[in-house]
C-alpha cells in the first residue's frame, strides 16, 4: 500500500473514536445529514455488504471489542458491544454537543466529523483527541459507510445479526511484511532506543504488551502503525505526534514487529573487560574537593538524547560539567559517601563520575550488557565488615544478568545470569530482566528485582566470586520502587500486575502484596504523613489517573498497614513520577505519558493536609513534556524537567525551579537536551523522597 494511502486509512482503526473521543479536528468538516446517506450509485445496499468484514479489514478490532468481527478484542478504545444503545442514549443526553438527532446520525457523525463530540469514557480511561482523523469517511463509498453505521446501530448487547457475520472468515494471518536489510537494521535500532524497555528485547512484553508475530500479525500494518504514531490513553507514547517518528517510520516499525525478533548477542566476561577503562586511577584522584562549591547540592541531570549527564550547581543553577556517559542514562546513583556518581545508560554502559574533581569528570567506565536500567553500590558497614563503596552492581535487560564490579574502578568481577523459571507457573523464561536494585542497610546484600520471573533476589556480596542468593517469590513484572520512611521496607511496583510488593528487608521476607490501580509507576515513590491514616507511601500510575496512598506503619497504625487507604484522582493517566520531602506541604506528580498535549506538560500538587484532590495543576511550559521532580538539599525548591526534542533548537528542553512553599517559579535553566531524571546528591544518598 502506498504510504499516503496507509495514513488515510489509519483512522479506520479508531472507527468509533468520535464515540470514544479519540479524535483529531478535520480541516474541512463534511456536512452531517439528518438521515443516513443514500446508497451509492453502484446499487449496493447496506444489507448486501459485509460490514464486519469492512471493520476487520480496517483493523478496528485492534482497539475495540466488536461482536461479530473476528479478532476484535482490543482494549484501547471502548467496548462496542452495546454501541447501538449508547448512540441512542447519547443524542438525548444534555451533555452531548453534536448535531445528530438519531442514533444513525450520531454514528455517521462520529465517522465523518470525529471531533464534534468527545465522549467521557474510553474503556475506563479519559478520552483524548488525536487518535482518529476525519479522513475516515473518504475510505468508504456511501454504501459501505451506511453498512458500517447500520451494523453498529444493531449492536445492543445481544447476539449480533448474522447477515454478514456467517460469511465473515476467521482472522487471516498472512506472511510478515518484507523488509530490506537496511530497513530491518533501522527498525531494530529504533526498537532498541524507544520500545525494548517496555516490550522486551525478545518482545515478550512486560510494562507493555507482547509484540511477537502471533500477536501482531492479526492486527496488521495499518492498525499497528496507528497505535505507534498516535499512542494510547494508557501509557503508550504517541511517537508520531511527538515528532520522534515520522509516518514512514511508524509504518516501518509496524512491519518490523510483525517479523520474528532478531536473536540478540550474548556478552562474555572477556568482552566486558575489553570495554573496561580506568581514566583516572584511584590513587591519582584528589583526597579532598578541588573546588569550593557545595557538591552535596549538585544535581546530576540526564540529557537523554545527547548521551550525556549535566552536573548542575543547586545553589547557583550553573552547569558545572557536561559529561559523556551511556546513551539515555536511566538512573544515577550516588556512592555511600556521595563523592561518586554511578550512571547507567540504556546501552549498558556504566560511568563513574568523581564530584570532587574540578570540574567533575568521568574516572572510569565499563559496558556490561547491551541494554540496562539499574546500578547500585555496596553500603553496608557493620559487624560483617565495612563494604562502603567497595562494590557496585549493574542490572541488565539484555543479556538477562547482573554484573558485580569494583566500586572504585568498575572492573568486572562476577556475572550472574537471571534466566530462570517463573515463580508461579514454574515455566522457563529466556529473558528475566533485572529492574530496580537497592542496597540493604541491615546486611551486606543487594535487593535485586527480577522482572519477568516475579522474584526478588537478595544477593550477598561478602564473597563476590561465590555470592549467596536468597530467592523470594513476589509478583511478575517487578519494576521500580523505594523505601518507606523507616528504611526497613522496600515497596516495589509489579506494574503490569497492578500490584505493589512490600519487602521486609530486615526479616528478609515479603510482608504484603497490595492491589493498586492500573500500571503503578512510582519511581522511588513518596513518603508522607496522612492526617487520618498516619505514615503512608504513594505511587501514581501509567494506566489510571490516580495517586494511591498505602499505609506503612504496622506498629502504630496496624489497621492501615499495607492497605490502600486513599485513591486521589488526577487529571489523567500516564504519570511517571511523584515526589515529596519531609519539610514540604505538597506531593508533586507529573503526567508525562498522557496522550493529551496539555496534560503532558501539566504538573499537579496535592496538599498533605487535605489529600482528597489536587490543590493546583498548571502547565510548566508551552512545549514538550513535564517529567520528574527533585528537591534541593535544603528541601525548599523543586526542580522539574521540560523534556523537549533534540532536533528542535530552542525547545530541546529546560529545567524549571519552583519555590516549594509558594509554588512560584524561581528560575529556568535553559537549552538542555531532553533533560529527564535529576538526582540531588544529598537526597539520593539519604533516600529522601
Amino acid at each position: 500500500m502506498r504510504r499516503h494511502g496507509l495514513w488515510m486509512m489509519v483512522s479506520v482503526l479508531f472507527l468509533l473514536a468520535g464515540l470514544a473521543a479519540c479524535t483529531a479536528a478535520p480541516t474541512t468538516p463534511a456536512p452531517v445529514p439528518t438521515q443516513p446517506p443514500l446508497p451509492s450509485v453502484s446499487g449496493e445496499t447496506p444489507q448486501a455488504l459485509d460490514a464486519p468484514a469492512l471493520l476487520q479489514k480496517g483493523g478496528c478490532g485492534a482497539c475495540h471489542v466488536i461482536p461479530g468481527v473476528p479478532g476484535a478484542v482490543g482494549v484501547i478504545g471502548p467496548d462496542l458491544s452495546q454501541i447501538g444503545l449508547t448512540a441512542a442514549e447519547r443524542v438525548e443526553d444534555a451533555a452531548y454537543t453534536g448535531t445528530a438527532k438519531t442514533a444513525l446520525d450520531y454514528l455517521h457523525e462520529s465517522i465523518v466529523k470525529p471531533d464534534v463530540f468527545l465522549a467521557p469514557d474510553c474503556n475506563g480511561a479519559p478520552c483524548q483527541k488525536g487518535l482518529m482523523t476525519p479522513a475516515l469517511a473518504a475510505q468508504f463509498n456511501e454504501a459501505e459507510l451506511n453498512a458500517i453505521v447500520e451494523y453498529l446501530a444493531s449492536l445492543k448487547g445481544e447476539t449480533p445479526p448474522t447477515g454478514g457475520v456467517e460469511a465473515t472468515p476467521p482472522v487471516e494471518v498472512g506472511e510478515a511484511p518484507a523488509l530490506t536489510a537496511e530497513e530491518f537494521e533501522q527498525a531494530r535500532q529504533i526498537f532498541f532506543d524507544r520500545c525494548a524497555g517496555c516490550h522486551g528485547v525478545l518482545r515478550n512484553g512486560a510494562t507493555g504488551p507482547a509484540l511477537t508475530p502471533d500477536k501482531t500479525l492479526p492486527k496488521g500494518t495499518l492498525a499497528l502503525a496507528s497505535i505507534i504514531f498516535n499512542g494510547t490513553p494508557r501509557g503508550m507514547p504517541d511517537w508520531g505526534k511527538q515528532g520522534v517518528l515520522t509516518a514512514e517510520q511508524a509504518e516501518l516499525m509496524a512491519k518490523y514487529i510483525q517479523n520474528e525478533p532478531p536473536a540478540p548477542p550474548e556478552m562474555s566476561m572477556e568482552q566486558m573487560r575489553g570495554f573496561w577503562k580506568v581514566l583516572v586511577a584511584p590513587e591519582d584522584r584528589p583526597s579532598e574537593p578541588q573546588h569550593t562549591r557545595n557538591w552535596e547540592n549538585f544535581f546530576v541531570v540526564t540529557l537523554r538524547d545527547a548521551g550525556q549527564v549535566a552536573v548542575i550547581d543547586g545553589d547557583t543553577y550553573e552547569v558545572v560539567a557536561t559529561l559523556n556517559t551511556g546513551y539515555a542514562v536511566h538512573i544515577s546513583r550516588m556512592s555511600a559517601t556521595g563523592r561518586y556518581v554511578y550512571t547507567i545508560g540504556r546501552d549498558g554502559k556504566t560511568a563513574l563520575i568523581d564530584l570532587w574533581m574540578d570540574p567533575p569528570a568521568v574516572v572510569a567506565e565499563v559496558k556490561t550488557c547491551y541494554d540496562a536500567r539499574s546500578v547500585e553500590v555496596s553500603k553496608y558497614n557493620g559487624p560483617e565488615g565495612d563494604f562502603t563503596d567497595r562494590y557496585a552492581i549493574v542490572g541488565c535487560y539484555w543479556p538477562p544478568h547482573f554484573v558485580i564490579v569494583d566500586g572504585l574502578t568498575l572492573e568486572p568481577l562476577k556475572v550472574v545470569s537471571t534466566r530462570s523459571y517463573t515463580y508461579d507457573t514454574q515455566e522457563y523464561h529466556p529473558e528475566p530482566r533485572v529492574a530496580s536494585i537497592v542496597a540493604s542497610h541491615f546486611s551486606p546484600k543487594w535487593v535485586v528485582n527480577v522482572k519477568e520471573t516475579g522474584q526478588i533476589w537478595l544477593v550477598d556480596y561478602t564473597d563476590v566470586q561465590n555470592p549467596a542468593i536468597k530467592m523470594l517469590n513476589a509478583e511478575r513484572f517487578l519494576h521500580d520502587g523505594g523505601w518507606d520512611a523507616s528504611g526497613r521496607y522496600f515497596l516495589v511496583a509489579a506494574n503490569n500486575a497492578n500490584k505493589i510488593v512490600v519487602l521486609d528487608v530486615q526479616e528478609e521476607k515479603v510482608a504484603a502484596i497490595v492491589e493498586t490501580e492500573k500500571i503503578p509507576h512510582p519511581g522511588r515513590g513518596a513518603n508522607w504523613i496522612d492526617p487520618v491514616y498516619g505514615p503512608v507511601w504513594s505511587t501514581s500510575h501509567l494506566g489510571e489517573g490516580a495517586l494511591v496512598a498505602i499505609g506503612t506503619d504496622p506498629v502504630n497504625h496496624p489497621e492501615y498497614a499495607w492497605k490502600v487507604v486513599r485513591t486521589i484522582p488526577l487529571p489523567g493517566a500516564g504519570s511517571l513520577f511523584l515526589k515529596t520531602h519531609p519539610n514540604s506541604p505538597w506531593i508533586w506528580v507529573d503526567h508525562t505519558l498522557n496522550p493529551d498535549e496539555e496534560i503532558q506538560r501539566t504538573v499537579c500538587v496535592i496538599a498533605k493536609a487535605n489529600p482528597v484532590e489536587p490543590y493546583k495543576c498548571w502547565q510548566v511550559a508551552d512545549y514538550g513534556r513535564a517529567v520528574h521532580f527533585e528537591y534541593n538539599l535544603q528541601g525548599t525548591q523543586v526542580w522539574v524537567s521540560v523534556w523537549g526534542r533534540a532536533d528542535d533548537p530552542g525547545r530541546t528542553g529546560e529545567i524549571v525551579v519552583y519555590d516549594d512553599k509558594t509554588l512560584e517559579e524561581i528560575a529556568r535553566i535553559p537549552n538542555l537536551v531532553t533533560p529527564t531524571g535529576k538526582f540531588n546528591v544529598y537526597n539520593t544518598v539519604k533516600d529522601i523522597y
Side-chain angles (χ1 to χ4, degrees):
M1 180 182 292
R2 291 177 300 173
R3 285 194 174 98
H4 74 274
L6 169 67
W7 286 95
M8 291 181 70
M9 283 293 290
V10 217
S11 52
V12 182
L13 170 65
F14 295 97
L15 175 63
L16 286 219
L19 314 176
C22 303
T23 64
T27 304
T28 305
V32 180
T34 57
Q35 296 295 330
L38 296 173
S40 69
V41 293
S42 67
E44 294 174 300
T45 63
Q47 290 78 14
L49 292 169
D50 191 346
L54 294 172
L55 292 165
Q56 181 186 355
K57 180 181 177 181
C60 304
C63 291
H64 299 284
V65 172
I66 313 176
V69 178
V73 292
V75 294
I76 296 173
D79 185 329
L80 303 182
S81 301
Q82 301 185 65
I83 192 60
L85 294 175
T86 301
E89 294 170 356
R90 187 73 70 196
V91 294
E92 302 296 331
D93 192 333
Y96 170 61
T97 56
T99 60
K101 302 300 182 183
T102 69
L104 291 173
D105 288 352
Y106 179 83
L107 293 165
H108 189 272
E109 177 188 74
S110 71
I111 298 171
V112 300
K113 297 180 67 176
D115 69 325
V116 165
F117 176 72
L118 303 180
D121 179 80
C122 289
N123 194 35
C127 297
Q128 306 289 344
K129 292 183 179 181
L131 295 185
M132 176 177 171
T133 72
L136 171 60
Q139 311 314 310
F140 302 105
N141 62 37
E142 288 294 290
E144 291 171 334
L145 187 57
N146 287 344
I148 290 171
V149 167
E150 292 205 3
Y151 181 78
L152 294 171
S154 73
L155 299 179
K156 300 179 179 179
E158 303 168 353
T159 302
T162 59
V165 178
E166 292 180 348
T168 303
V171 177
E172 295 184 3
V173 177
E175 294 183 358
L179 296 172
T180 66
E182 182 180 357
E183 289 173 331
F184 193 89
E185 178 56 27
Q186 180 188 0
R188 187 196 65 78
Q189 188 61 47
I190 292 173
F191 189 88
F192 169 77
D193 290 345
R194 302 292 180 182
C195 314
C198 288
H199 300 285
V201 174
L202 299 179
R203 307 210 302 257
N204 287 314
T207 304
L211 297 177
T212 47
D214 61 311
K215 306 289 186 183
T216 55
L217 278 169
K219 290 179 171 60
T221 302
L222 176 68
L224 294 169
S226 181
I227 294 172
I228 293 167
F229 192 88
N230 294 301
T232 72
R234 294 191 182 278
M236 168 70 184
D238 49 349
W239 297 121
K241 290 164 62 181
Q242 288 184 48
V244 174
L245 298 180
T246 64
E248 291 78 7
Q249 288 173 320
E251 181 182 345
L252 172 65
M253 295 308 298
K255 293 177 178 178
Y256 174 77
I257 61 176
Q258 293 175 76
N259 284 268
E260 290 290 338
E266 302 293 330
M267 183 179 286
S268 67
M269 176 61 77
E270 180 181 7
Q271 289 173 295
M272 296 177 202
R273 295 186 71 86
F275 289 119
W276 171 48
K277 296 178 182 178
V278 177
L279 305 175
V280 181
E283 60 269 22
D284 296 328
R285 299 170 195 168
S287 57
E288 60 183 14
Q290 299 300 292
H291 52 77
T292 58
R293 296 179 184 272
N294 181 8
W295 57 270
E296 287 189 299
N297 199 28
F298 280 173
F299 287 73
V300 181
V301 181
T302 296
L303 306 181
R304 187 193 191 281
D305 293 336
Q308 298 175 322
V309 297
V311 180
I312 302 179
D313 189 319
D315 296 327
T316 66
Y317 313 135
E318 295 175 84
V319 178
V320 179
T322 301
L323 305 171
N324 293 325
T325 54
Y327 170 75
V329 165
H330 190 67
I331 59 169
S332 297
R333 287 291 175 259
M334 313 306 165
S335 64
T337 59
R339 169 182 179 170
Y340 291 107
V341 181
Y342 299 80
T343 68
I344 182 65
R346 294 194 177 193
D347 57 359
K349 182 178 178 181
T350 305
L352 178 63
I353 301 169
D354 188 348
L355 297 178
W356 283 10
M357 297 178 69
D358 188 16
V362 175
V363 295
E365 60 183 39
V366 69
K367 185 180 177 77
T368 56
C369 45
Y370 303 105
D371 190 3
R373 294 295 186 278
S374 54
V375 65
E376 182 61 292
V377 296
S378 56
K379 296 180 178 179
Y380 177 80
N381 183 5
E384 296 185 61
D386 184 358
F387 292 90
T388 304
D389 298 347
R390 187 184 301 183
Y391 302 116
I393 180 173
V394 181
C396 296
Y397 270 22
W398 189 270
H401 63 219
F402 64 79
V403 182
I404 301 174
V405 301
D406 184 279
L408 297 181
T409 68
L410 302 185
E411 177 186 5
L413 301 174
K414 180 69 175 181
V415 57
V416 178
S417 174
T418 53
R419 288 183 172 99
S420 183
Y421 292 79
T422 56
Y423 86 96
D424 47 3
T425 60
Q426 303 288 298
E427 295 175 272
Y428 177 74
H429 199 292
E431 191 189 3
R433 297 173 293 172
V434 179
S436 53
I437 303 176
V438 294
S440 170
H441 295 279
F442 293 94
S443 61
K445 295 176 183 176
W446 287 303
V447 178
V448 177
N449 295 284
V450 186
K451 187 185 289 278
E452 277 73 19
T453 53
Q455 291 184 331
I456 297 174
W457 289 10
L458 302 180
V459 179
D460 190 318
Y461 52 73
T462 55
D463 181 357
V464 296
Q465 291 302 325
N466 303 283
I469 301 175
K470 183 176 182 178
M471 301 178 182
L472 300 175
N473 292 338
E475 186 53 87
R476 294 204 206 190
F477 313 118
L478 299 168
H479 191 61
D480 56 351
W483 298 104
D484 80 311
S486 73
R488 172 173 173 173
Y489 299 96
F490 181 68
L491 293 90
V492 58
N495 49 27
N496 220 32
N498 306 324
K499 296 175 182 177
I500 296 292
V501 177
V502 182
L503 175 69
D504 184 336
V505 178
Q506 184 174 3
E507 295 193 8
E508 299 187 352
K509 68 178 184 180
V510 172
I513 297 180
V514 185
E515 297 273 353
T516 69
E517 303 298 320
K518 293 181 180 178
I519 317 181
H521 191 283
R524 288 295 204 176
N527 289 300
W528 52 288
I529 306 297
D530 186 278
V532 176
Y533 305 108
V536 296
W537 177 92
S538 284
T539 180
S540 52
H541 301 78
L542 289 172
E544 295 287 344
L547 182 149
V548 302
I550 298 172
T552 59
D553 185 2
V555 175
N556 298 309
H557 298 81
E559 67 275 28
Y560 305 131
W562 320 133
K563 297 177 182 177
V564 173
V565 294
R566 285 192 192 273
T567 300
I568 304 167
L570 298 175
S575 176
L576 280 177
F577 299 104
L578 72 166
K579 183 75 73 171
T580 191
H581 188 280
N583 299 331
S584 174
W586 314 111
I587 307 156
W588 294 69
V589 61
D590 65 24
H591 308 85
T592 312
L593 295 185
N594 191 283
D596 184 277
E597 293 184 2
E598 293 186 1
I599 298 178
Q600 290 168 7
R601 47 184 180 255
T602 294
V603 299
C604 295
V605 293
I606 297 164
K608 296 177 183 177
N610 185 31
V612 295
E613 62 184 0
Y615 171 82
K616 180 181 180 181
C617 298
W618 69 96
Q619 293 185 51
V620 174
D622 61 359
Y623 72 96
R625 297 167 182 256
V627 60
H628 198 262
F629 309 94
E630 181 62 297
Y631 280 82
N632 62 349
L633 181 153
Q634 297 84 1
T636 58
Q637 297 175 3
V638 175
W639 292 29
V640 184
S641 293
V642 177
W643 188 11
R645 284 173 46 192
D647 61 351
D648 191 2
R651 295 160 68 93
T652 59
E654 59 190 300
I655 290 174
V656 186
V657 182
Y658 291 96
D659 183 297
D660 183 60
K661 291 292 189 293
T662 66
L663 307 180
E664 294 178 356
E665 181 180 319
I666 297 173
R668 289 187 178 239
I669 306 172
N671 301 318
L672 301 174
V673 179
T674 55
T676 46
K678 304 163 297 301
F679 303 92
N680 178 270
V681 173
Y682 181 85
N683 291 332
T684 304
V685 170
K686 301 295 184 181
D687 289 318
I688 297 175
Y689 39 79

